[in-house]
Amino acid sequence: QKEVEQDPGPLSVPEGAIVSLNCTYSNSAFQYFMWYRQYSRKGPELLMYTYSSGNKEDGRFTAQVDKSSKYISLFIRDSQPSDSATYLCAMSGGEYNFNKFYFGSGTKLNVKP
Amino acid sequence: DGGITQSPKYLFRKEGQNVTLSCEQNLNHDAMYWYRQDPGQGLRLIYYSQIVNDFQKGDIAEGYSVSREKKESFPLTVTSAQKNPTAFYLCASSILTSGYNEQFFGPGTRLTVL
């Protein structure tokens, strides 16, 4: 079983839609939960990170962590064509090296004008 | 501008050749990482280094080698022992603390074996 599971998509939505991206994980020791955005042929860039359970909002983006279910989500409100990219979840923390990140496979999002 | 640079952007290699990918950072970060990205598989850790002259294997180190002679530089060599080297290679760096450490990524190098 992979440490982190993520639906690869692709996910296609019309402009203005609410997008929900999700990851599940198996290691209950994870404490930090990140979402990266990666445009085609570019390096990933950090969108948001959350510590432990709860919600975090940044503009049109909301990250949710439910540690009891080992489930994290990223919501994008009023999606724009510029949001079209691959979204990677990542996690770290636990009994080993805090600096080791475990990545999901990425979900490719296409927002149609 | 602070950041991470990788070169070249595209690299072509013949079978049996070793190639070296460059990664440089001017963020004064102690830790540096190499990842490999294949379609549908996300990022897999090849090697990482937390201090000069020291590095550890990641999950898929076979067929790769690294060096860390300077804090700013962490080159990756893809050797002929790597059976399927065609992929997108990403370098990252971070500070070192016991808590959260954001990893900053470079723009990547796309390696193709001919």
Side-chain angles (χ1 to χ4, degrees):
Chain A
Q1 183 186 9
K2 286 184 180 179
E3 298 262 12
V4 181
E5 298 277 0
Q6 184 175 7
D7 187 337
L11 184 60
S12 187
V13 301
E15 183 176 353
I18 296 174
V19 176
S20 172
L21 304 168
N22 311 294
C23 289
T24 59
Y25 62 96
S26 56
N27 188 344
S28 58
F30 287 144
Q31 297 181 41
Y32 297 95
F33 303 90
M34 287 71 71
W35 286 97
Y36 280 83
R37 178 174 61 195
Q38 184 178 24
Y39 291 113
S40 183
R41 301 179 186 274
K42 304 287 186 186
E45 56 179 345
L46 182 70
L47 268 178
M48 301 177 70
Y49 88 92
T50 309
Y51 172 70
S52 194
S53 283
N55 293 359
K56 188 172 185 179
E57 189 173 320
D58 184 2
R60 296 183 295 109
F61 298 88
T62 300
Q64 282 187 355
V65 175
D66 181 349
K67 290 193 74 177
S68 62
S69 301
K70 297 191 182 68
Y71 189 88
I72 71 170
S73 300
L74 178 71
F75 297 96
I76 307 174
R77 291 184 298 280
D78 187 24
S79 57
Q80 302 295 308
S82 59
D83 295 329
S84 297
T86 296
Y87 290 81
L88 298 155
C89 63
M91 307 172 190
S92 72
E95 60 185 295
Y96 299 115
N97 188 336
F98 269 69
N99 297 299
K100 182 171 181 180
F101 281 23
Y102 295 83
F103 284 87
S105 56
T107 299
K108 189 169 185 178
L109 171 66
N110 180 34
V111 181
K112 298 175 291 185
Chain B
D1 276 338
I4 303 176
T5 57
Q6 291 185 242
S7 62
K9 188 172 182 180
Y10 298 97
L11 186 57
F12 298 90
R13 186 194 97 171
K14 293 182 180 178
E15 284 194 26
Q17 285 184 335
N18 293 354
V19 289
T20 298
L21 283 58
S22 169
C23 177
E24 304 274 335
Q25 54 97 2
N26 60 5
L27 300 168
N28 199 33
H29 286 169
D30 290 300
M32 296 187 74
Y33 313 80
W34 274 106
Y35 292 92
R36 170 181 171 140
Q37 188 175 31
D38 295 280
Q41 293 198 45
L43 275 64
R44 292 184 289 168
L45 183 64
I46 304 173
Y47 269 97
Y48 65 100
S49 168
Q50 299 186 50
I51 195 170
V52 173
N53 293 323
D54 187 50
F55 45 83
Q56 287 79 41
K57 292 181 179 180
D59 301 317
I60 55 165
E62 186 175 350
Y64 300 98
S65 66
V66 294
S67 63
R68 188 87 186 275
E69 296 176 1
K70 298 187 299 181
K71 187 176 183 178
E72 302 79 18
S73 178
F74 192 40
L76 173 74
T77 296
V78 184
T79 75
S80 57
Q82 170 49 237
K83 298 306 178 189
N84 185 21
T86 295
F88 190 48
Y89 290 87
L90 288 159
C91 179
S93 70
S94 74
I95 60 172
L96 275 181
T97 71
S98 59
Y100 171 70
N101 304 301
E102 179 181 349
Q103 289 190 16
F104 293 82
F105 284 86
T109 292
R110 185 165 298 277
L111 172 63
T112 302
V113 173
L114 302 174

